Amino acid sequence: MKSVISVAAAVAASLAMLPAVASAQSANGYYSATPVSAPANDSLVTRNVIWRCGGGTCVAAKGTARDAIMCQLLAREVGALTEFKVEGEAFDAEALERCNARARS
């Protein structure tokens, strides 16, 4: 019986930490992008925003520029993007095409 209570306590403790983890991820990942090619560096700066890249995705906290500009700034640094998200919402095909028009060659 003790082991069942211990397991239940461990599960409850783990679940209590989930909102904190989700909050930390959203604080660091307001923007999320998937470059066509993996960036050479695991971090880069566009204007005043630090991007962290790894596992095929780049994430950054919210910047002061409009979302479309943030996409274009990243595309200039890393090349074309297959996806760009703002708070989990992906740019539509037209917005992504406009963003990629600014991509480095």
Side-chain angles (χ1 to χ4, degrees):
M1 189 65 155
K2 272 188 171 181
S3 64
V4 171
I5 293 171
S6 297
V7 169
V11 169
S14 297
L15 290 175
M17 292 182 350
L18 282 178
V21 171
S23 176
Q25 287 176 341
S26 64
N28 292 324
Y30 182 85
Y31 303 109
S32 173
T34 306
V36 170
S37 301
N41 299 316
D42 60 353
S43 68
L44 58 109
V45 178
T46 58
R47 289 192 182 162
N48 62 346
V49 175
I50 299 170
W51 291 87
R52 304 278 183 215
C53 301
T57 303
C58 296
V59 296
K62 185 174 182 177
T64 56
R66 290 180 297 121
D67 298 335
I69 300 298
M70 294 303 301
C71 184
Q72 292 171 0
L73 291 170
L74 182 62
R76 282 184 194 161
E77 293 294 321
V78 301
L81 307 173
T82 59
E83 184 175 62
F84 188 82
K85 292 182 180 179
V86 179
E87 288 190 296
E89 288 290 319
F91 270 25
D92 63 26
E94 185 178 319
L96 189 60
E97 184 177 333
R98 283 192 306 267
C99 171
N100 282 330
R102 305 290 184 161
R104 69 171 169 82
S105 301

